[in-house]
Structure formats: C-alpha cells, structure tokens
Amino acid sequence: MPIRKQWRLLPHDETAARRLASAIETNEVVAQLLLNRGVSDPVAAKLFLSSPMSGLHSPDLLPNIATAAERLAAAVATGEKVCVYGDYDVDGTTGTAILFALLGKLGGNVVFHIPIRLEDGYGLNAEPLRKLAEDGVKVVVTVDCGISAVAEAELARELGIDLIVTDHHEMKATLPAATLVHPRLPGSVYPFGGISGSCVAFKLAWAVAQQVNGGTRVSEELREFLLDAMGLAALGLVADVVPLRDENRVFTRHGLKRLVRRPSIGLKALFDEAKLTDKLSAEDVSFKIGPRINAAGRLGCARLVVELLTTTNPRKAAEIAAFLEGQNSQRQTIERKATAQAKEMVEQNGWADAPAIVIGHAATEWHQGVVGIVAGRLVEHYGKPTLVIALKDDDHPSSGSGRSVKGFELHTALDACTDLLEGHGGHAAAVGLRVKPSNLDALRERFCEYVSRTFPDGPPPPTLLLDAELPLASLSFKLLGDIDKLEPYGQDNPRPRFLATDVQIEGTPRRIGQGERHLSFRVRQGGTTIRAVAWGMGERLDEIMSDGGRCCLAFTPKINEWNGNRSVEIEVSDFQPKRLADLS
C-alpha cells in the first residue's frame, strides 16, 4: 500500500481573513487562501492577484548580463558564429528557442546544439565543444546548464571560444571561468533567485535587444518578439517546477495568455495534438504540454523541439507535433512498466523498510529518459528519498536520477557520495547522477546511511496541507471563479485543497481510464450530491468503501465543461475513514 499521508488543516484566522477580504474587496475564502500562502499585506495581496507586467525585474540586475549582451551584440554585428547550447528538457529547449530566434532575427550567424541524453549526457560536454570549434563557432551561450562545467569552460578557452553560461541550478564551490549569468551568484543583487533557466535566457534576450537598440527601450518589432518569448519562458518555468511567486507569476500569467492569443505555428500544432483550445493553464503545461515536449529528450533527441518552437512551416510543425505525441505515448508505456518492476524489486528485496531507495535495472528495459519519473513515482509511493539508475556496464557509467522528500537536500547528499560517482548535479529536490554498476551497492549503503543520519526515526510521512474545511453545499461557479484569481497554480502556490467531513459515497465507484487507474463516483454531504474523480486511486477501491462508503475527503473543486454543459465537480487528492485520527 502507498504510504499514508498526514493531513494538516491550516489554521483559520477569521478576523485576519475578514480584514484582508475587506481591504482587497474579495470574499473570505480567497483572503484565507492568501493568508495560507504567507500573503497578509493588502498591497502584496493585490500584486499577487493582479501580477502586473511591471512586476518583471530589470535584466540589468542579473550578474554579468551587460557583458554577455555586449558580446552577443558584437558577434551579431561582425558575423561571428554563435552557438546556443541548451539542455534537453522543457526549460532548456524553450530558453534555447528564445535566444536562437532572437539572434537569428537580428541577422546573426547562429546555430543551436541540444545534447542527446543517451549519448552526450547532461550539460556542457567536451566533444560537442570541439566539434563546434571545428565548425568555426566563436561564442557559445549555454541555456539551463553549465554552472558546474569547470573543465569544459577551460577547454572552451583553449579552443578559442568565448563562453557565456546562463543557468539557475545549484552552484558548487568552484565556478567555471566564463561569463556567468545566474540569479544567485555570490554578490548578486537580483531580487528573486527562483527564476528558471528559460527566464534567465529571456532576460539575456531582453538585454541583447536593448543593446542593439542603444537604450532601455526596444523597437516595436523586438517588443512583440519579447512578448511572444515570455510565453516560451512560461512553459519552461512551469515545467521546471520553480516557485510560482514574485516575477514567476508575471511570466506565467502574461506568457500563457500570450500563447493563447497568438501561439507560434509550432505551438499551435502542439496544442492541437494535446486538444487544448481557447485557454491554457499552468496545469495544462505541467500535465499536457510539458510531457509532450520532454518526451523527445527522454527517448531521443530534443533538437526537434527547438525546430518546432522556431519553425514557420505549418506542415513541418504538424509533423513534429504528431511525432512528439507518439513519443509521449511510448514514454508513458515504458514508464508504467518500469515503475511496476521497480515496486516489485523494492518489495522482493525488503528495501521498503530502508531509510531510502537506491535501485537499478538494465537500461535495455529501464530507459534512461524515464528514470526520473520512476524515481518520483517511488517517492510518492514509499515517502523516501530515491535514486533510480538505468544500468549499463562498468565501461559505460550508468545514468540515473533522484527525487527527494521535504526537508532532504539531494544535491548535498550526493556530495557525500562523490567518490562513488562519476558525476552528479541538480538541486535539493531533483538530481542527475552517473555511477558505475559495480559501485551501486556501495552507493546504496552510503546514501542510506546519510539519510538515516538526517532522519534517525525515518523520513517523516508526507504532509497533505488542507487550506480550509469547505462544505460541498458552498461550491458554486462564483466561488470557484473567485478562487481561481489565485492562478497560476504551481510550486509554492498549489491549487487550493479543502476538507469535506462526514461524506457518503453514493453507489459503487467505477474504475476508469487506461489500466483502470482512476476512480469515478458520486458523494453526498447533507443534501448536496456531487461527482468526484480520484486520479491514480483505482487500486484503493476497496479501501474507500471499507466503512460503508463513509469517509472524509481532501479535494479540489473544479468546473467541468463538456459539450457545452458546465458543472462543479471535485478532484479527490486523498481520503480517510470517517474519523480523522491523523488530522492535526
């Protein structure tokens, strides 16, 4: 059985909620949601809800951005060959598309390079640099990678390449000798360190546009380009699960609106494949657009993604979008099989009782591109820090990914295992690593020891935060419309989740979806009956009916629109028996 979540109902300050609601002219439910997110000042609350375009910070505040912009503008002016070198995920490919398209629009001699995950691995690598130098590249600008590429930066210098690194990942003690554009560099005065790689690339594009226009204002043509580029940056930051606070809310709110209003030819084709029409939410990016874009990098080469994002050919766009759709379906099949095998291995080997999970299997079955997703699934199921490796042989170090639990910094843990690894990088919640299969058992032992020292009594159970208790009878179109003023939802601003107590399941829930992985049922509370969906809970059918269908629900209300009809429904995040023994 999956680990049981500990529910925590956030405290309700009726007086403070009423005061804030009055100050910003909203209802008390919205005011309480703002308080739950640490937003209590009326001015800050209005900014949170409105997220005006003026909330974007000036690119001039980023360290070394003026030097980087001047170098790129000079390269455009002199015809020097520039390569935009991006990562293969959504954050990297969207940021690459922004800079590649801008430099091309300015008349620059520009190419781009996206590593192939299975051949090149993550980040800036020596062999591609040598090839780029042979092809006459004089400037390389990285996107979403490079901050740990100390040896590669030295190689670039030896090859006569000027290296500009734009990144947002965690830094190590030694920084590469290059022009570094990073919001959290030592001494940085940038107001918000939580932007994504695509947003750093956007800020550099903005700075280059200012540079070529000779001032802080840019031409109308470049302004329109930058507004379009905000949409690409928004895709990258939502998919990279960075905090949707501060200017990230501005990027997401205005960027996604721009994508709906005037998507590029390539994105229009992708939206059609994903069956997205007149609106686009951050959750659509997370669950529909992001996975399709990422599929190419996971299973093959993400170069196609940059081509999709920058093409002006509708036929080519349709072909690439259809290919990505197929890749994503294939990725889902591989991922489900690998996750099932991983759970079976954990149970057979008794690792479910270990402080952490470190697991590997042949790369012929566990595709390197899905091990990060599998690691995430295991963390959800067992509630422990997890490393998953696609095993090759000792002549070819195996690649893996890790996912963490709250309160445990994965990148720091891997620093303690450096002597057993061929390389690693990432941040607190997610990491990538390379290890020889012969070191796997030693890595498991070392990693588990480290986790055990951090959590002597075992990792704490995952906490499910509930914003408020909300009767089902109070759910209305107006209330949901008011609540959704908190959009965009994402990291650090999750879609609100509420508690409903003393609920009765009506009839017998149905298993739905591919593999019958989900549950659909109706619930009654007092005189109110409403449809509910529990995603991924098909295996819990017997459990939800164990007390005669009486239970408490953690839920999120949503408006379902189908064939012109609108109705209020709830999405169930978790459920417990009638009496809430674990509610704190």
Side-chain angles (χ1 to χ4, degrees):
M1 292 293 295
I3 188 168
R4 185 176 293 279
K5 297 180 178 68
Q6 181 175 359
W7 291 15
R8 183 162 76 87
L9 182 62
L10 293 172
H12 177 62
D13 189 332
E14 186 174 345
T15 302
R18 186 181 301 116
R19 186 184 303 119
L20 182 60
S22 176
I24 64 175
E25 299 180 340
T26 189
N27 61 60
E28 291 185 27
V29 174
V30 171
Q32 184 61 48
L33 292 173
L34 288 167
L35 292 172
N36 290 351
R37 284 147 183 77
V39 184
S40 57
D41 176 73
V43 175
K46 288 180 179 178
L47 285 174
F48 188 94
L49 294 177
S50 62
S51 302
M53 192 79 81
S54 59
L56 289 181
H57 302 305
S58 170
D60 295 343
L61 299 174
L62 276 170
N64 306 314
I65 197 165
T67 302
E70 289 171 6
R71 182 66 186 92
L72 289 174
V76 169
T78 58
E80 291 177 285
K81 194 170 186 179
V82 178
C83 177
V84 183
Y85 191 120
D87 190 21
Y88 38 62
D89 65 2
V90 182
D91 199 20
T93 51
T94 53
T96 298
I98 290 170
L99 283 173
F100 175 70
L102 174 75
L103 297 177
K105 189 177 189 65
L106 295 174
N109 180 9
V110 58
V111 296
F112 70 88
H113 177 80
I114 303 291
I116 299 175
R117 184 191 294 259
L118 298 182
E119 297 177 10
D120 302 324
Y122 169 78
L124 193 61
N125 289 289
E127 285 310 308
L129 277 177
R130 293 190 178 94
K131 181 66 167 59
L132 291 172
E134 291 174 3
D135 292 343
V137 169
K138 297 300 181 184
V139 183
V140 169
V141 53
T142 72
V143 175
D144 195 36
C145 63
I147 199 61
S148 61
V150 175
E152 290 79 6
E154 177 59 26
L155 174 62
R157 186 191 63 79
E158 295 172 0
L159 294 170
I161 291 175
D162 289 339
L163 180 63
I164 299 168
V165 170
T166 76
D167 204 349
H168 74 123
H169 288 100
E170 296 297 331
M171 294 164 283
K172 296 185 178 179
T174 302
L175 295 173
T179 300
L180 306 180
V181 183
H182 189 298
R184 300 188 304 280
L185 277 180
S188 172
V189 297
Y190 198 72
F192 179 62
I195 57 176
S196 66
S198 60
C199 293
V200 179
F202 172 87
K203 292 297 178 79
L204 179 54
W206 187 357
V208 172
Q210 291 177 327
Q211 180 72 28
V212 299
N213 279 266
T216 56
R217 298 184 66 85
V218 300
S219 67
E220 183 63 23
E221 182 182 10
L222 288 180
R223 180 180 181 277
E224 290 298 310
F225 172 87
L226 290 172
L227 289 173
D228 289 340
M230 278 190 70
L232 291 179
L235 294 180
L237 77 86
V238 171
D240 215 49
V241 202
V242 295
L244 285 189
R245 295 296 184 98
D246 202 274
E247 68 176 337
N248 283 349
R249 285 184 59 80
V250 182
F251 270 112
T252 306
R253 171 166 290 181
H254 295 280
L256 296 188
K257 285 182 179 178
R258 182 77 173 189
L259 289 180
V260 172
R261 191 161 59 248
R262 46 175 286 174
S264 67
I265 289 172
L267 282 174
K268 176 62 168 61
L270 193 62
F271 293 166
D272 289 344
E273 288 287 348
K275 297 179 174 56
L276 293 171
T277 54
D278 58 342
K279 59 183 180 179
L280 181 68
S281 69
E283 289 177 320
D284 290 328
V285 175
S286 296
F287 298 109
K288 296 181 180 179
I289 298 302
R292 285 168 169 81
I293 292 177
N294 266 333
R298 292 188 184 282
L299 302 187
C301 179
R303 181 179 182 87
L304 281 174
V305 174
V306 180
E307 293 180 6
L308 175 74
L309 298 177
T310 56
T311 186
T312 58
N313 185 325
R315 182 175 178 179
K316 181 178 181 181
E319 290 174 351
I320 296 176
F323 177 77
L324 294 182
E325 182 72 18
Q327 290 283 95
N328 189 50
S329 296
Q330 183 182 353
R331 185 271 306 169
Q332 291 173 326
T333 300
I334 295 171
E335 171 212 324
R336 283 194 292 268
K337 180 180 178 181
T339 300
Q341 289 177 329
K343 288 179 179 178
E344 185 177 351
M345 290 174 64
V346 168
E347 299 300 333
Q348 287 180 346
N349 289 280
W351 293 332
D353 298 325
I357 293 172
V358 179
I359 190 168
H361 190 63
T364 52
E365 291 192 57
W366 287 12
H367 197 286
Q368 181 181 320
V370 304
V371 291
I373 303 175
V374 174
R377 297 283 186 259
L378 296 182
V379 171
E380 291 173 4
H381 193 80
Y382 296 105
K384 304 172 188 289
T386 299
L387 306 178
V388 178
I389 298 99
L391 295 177
K392 296 183 180 178
D393 56 63
D394 271 5
D395 292 331
H396 302 88
S398 304
S399 295
S401 290
R403 297 294 182 268
S404 193
V405 298
K406 187 175 182 179
F408 187 78
E409 296 187 347
L410 267 184
H411 64 287
T412 304
L414 290 192
D415 284 342
C417 305
T418 297
D419 59 307
L420 298 173
L421 301 173
E422 302 301 302
H424 68 89
H427 44 80
V431 294
L433 65 143
R434 289 182 294 116
V435 61
K436 290 183 177 180
S438 57
N439 284 336
L440 181 61
D441 291 339
L443 174 62
R444 180 182 298 111
E445 182 177 354
R446 178 88 60 84
F447 188 73
C448 285
E449 286 175 356
Y450 188 96
V451 174
S452 183
R453 289 195 300 271
T454 305
F455 300 122
D457 298 323
T463 300
L464 190 69
L465 297 180
L466 304 176
D467 283 291
E469 184 170 355
L470 196 64
L472 297 183
S474 69
L475 299 180
S476 66
F477 292 124
K478 183 181 185 309
L479 178 61
L480 268 62
D482 289 340
I483 289 173
D484 275 350
K485 292 176 182 176
L486 274 75
E487 283 265 26
Y489 299 125
Q491 184 73 11
D492 278 13
N493 181 38
R495 184 175 284 277
R497 184 180 288 118
F498 300 102
L499 168 66
T501 59
D502 198 18
V503 169
Q504 175 66 53
I505 307 294
E506 295 279 277
T508 302
R510 293 185 300 111
R511 290 190 173 101
I512 62 172
Q514 187 172 12
E516 297 187 332
R517 297 172 57 236
H518 318 299
L519 291 178
S520 173
F521 51 96
R522 297 190 68 80
V523 298
R524 176 171 49 81
Q525 185 187 55
T528 301
T529 302
I530 196 168
R531 180 177 182 263
V533 177
W535 303 114
M537 298 189 198
E539 62 186 22
R540 298 181 67 184
L541 173 58
D542 293 340
E543 182 186 353
I544 200 171
M545 297 301 293
S546 61
D547 192 18
R550 299 293 293 272
C551 59
C552 298
L553 302 179
F555 73 93
T556 296
K558 283 195 172 183
I559 296 175
N560 183 32
E561 300 186 36
W562 181 253
N563 288 337
N565 297 316
R566 300 174 80 235
S567 61
V568 176
E569 300 182 348
I570 63 173
E571 290 187 358
V572 175
S573 307
D574 197 12
F575 57 84
Q576 289 193 15
K578 181 180 177 183
R579 290 179 174 79
L580 285 168
D582 296 331
L583 184 61
S584 58

